[in-house]
Amino acid sequence: MANASGFFSPSVPSIRRRTQPSVGFYRSGFCSYEAINRRVFCSSAIEGADAGASPSEIRVQRLVGRGCKLIGCGSAVPNLQISNDDLAKIVETSDEWISVRTGIRNRRVLSGKDSLTGLAVEAAKKALEMAKVDPDDVDLVLMCTSTPEDLFGSAPQIQKGLGCKRNPLAYDITAACSGFVLGLVSAACHIRGGGFNNVLVIGADALSRFVDWTDRGTCILFGDAAGAVLVQSCDGEEDGLFGFDLHSDGDGQRHLNAPNKSTESEKNLDSNGSVLDFPPRQSSFSCIKMNGNEVFRFAVRSVPQSIECALEKAGLTGSNIDWLLLHQANQRILDAVATRLEVPPERVLSNLANYGNTSAASIPLALDEAVRSGKVKPGHTIAAAGFGAGLTWGSAVLRWG
């Protein structure tokens, strides 16, 4: 069953079941039918339909019992590594001061010929290779980023870089450190309700471009990276996305932001001698501003609640998950959330020490390393959560493979 903040899968092992209504339509775009086949009306072309059929004949009911699963992942990081000792040469800090407060020891930063789009393409290619899916079989590319290299978005350039000859839809999702989780849920919606089969979800950010490198409170935290997963359609019995929970709170924007700023332009006067507001002033974004204490309190309060909500929607509890995969923001946050959820440290995935906070890339980057190292295996259940600027936060309970 689906609702505005999550959905159930009939294949998920259930701790407790609720009585569901026989028919329901929800804001998520999913439909649920009890005791009969679950179906949704869809006006797009249907596989296997007669090419000569009229539009009215093609508008048949499509089964929505199909699910989605994660079958491939990949990641990429810039060549330049900046250590805490390197930062100590430009700001008043030390390796001990940074590592004790954040858990971070190194981060990667774009330099030279590196580009965010290039990293995203590399990560996506690795995900497709693992999934054994040809670029021409990709139906949709979702680029989760707050730092695109073009005002109008970077996703189409990734589609171009992959060499997708069928020109699949590609668009950006902007939700800062929560972006990848939103991308996963969006992929599920497209697959379950739109008939898509192979969706690339990419998390990539280059926050180093918006860091004040003289502010030791923020410059020590961020790094650049890209991570990707291939989400593929499957039968409902194989569904691998069990539940989710998503939120935002614009009131919290004051605690974490990089606002638009305008440059002064030559002032023009009208015939009465007053200043005109035209032409508009050119604008750019300021450096990241963050109230660390408030962001910490927000994360340790909201993230456990969101994960518990997603688990409840999936009919699971914390004891049913194999891994806790959080946005890699700060080791203290990871530890506090794990403690509140009663998840032991050995079941928490973390690569924060090596890469710092890579925003939307952090979850797929950590997932890719855990999969390729053999830590995460097919069939493992993962509770993932992103949280950050907006403020936005969200969680998803999923199965790998």
Side-chain angles (χ1 to χ4, degrees), residues 49-58:
D50 185 350
S54 67
S56 60
E57 290 173 322
I58 291 178

Side-chain angles (χ1 to χ4, degrees), residues 140-303:
L140 175 65
V141 178
L142 300 177
M143 172 64 162
C144 309
T145 184
S146 297
T147 57
E149 292 176 322
D150 188 295
L151 174 66
F152 303 112
S154 293
Q157 291 304 306
I158 297 170
Q159 171 258 313
K160 174 186 175 183
L162 291 173
C164 303
K165 297 184 178 67
R166 295 192 301 113
N167 300 112
L169 174 64
Y171 65 88
D172 285 24
I173 294 176
T174 302
C177 305
S178 304
F180 183 75
V181 174
L182 270 66
L184 284 179
V185 174
S186 297
C189 291
H190 282 290
I191 289 173
R192 291 168 177 266
F196 290 77
N197 289 314
N198 293 301
V199 179
L200 264 173
V201 182
I202 303 164
D205 267 309
L207 290 180
S208 66
R209 295 170 172 171
F210 299 93
V211 164
D212 178 356
W213 291 99
T214 67
D215 175 18
R216 75 169 185 172
T218 56
C219 75
I220 64 173
L221 299 174
F222 300 103
D224 306 333
V229 299
L230 193 283
V231 185
Q232 189 174 73
S233 64
C234 63
D235 292 335
E237 292 74 16
E238 300 176 351
D239 187 27
L241 187 52
F242 302 151
F244 62 86
D245 179 72
L246 305 172
H247 299 276
S248 63
D249 177 13
D251 188 55
Q253 185 260 359
R254 67 187 187 276
H255 301 311
L256 179 56
N257 58 73
N260 185 283
K261 61 180 181 180
S262 299
T263 57
E264 292 291 337
S265 62
E266 185 176 335
K267 295 180 179 179
N268 297 307
L269 304 178
D270 65 11
S271 57
N272 297 323
S274 59
V275 178
L276 294 174
D277 289 328
F278 186 84
R281 291 175 291 180
Q282 291 185 338
S283 65
S284 61
F285 290 99
S286 68
C287 292
I288 297 170
K289 297 178 174 62
M290 183 177 68
N291 183 328
N293 290 333
E294 288 296 332
V295 172
F296 178 87
R297 281 192 282 268
F298 146 70
V300 300
R301 179 186 68 251
S302 300
V303 174

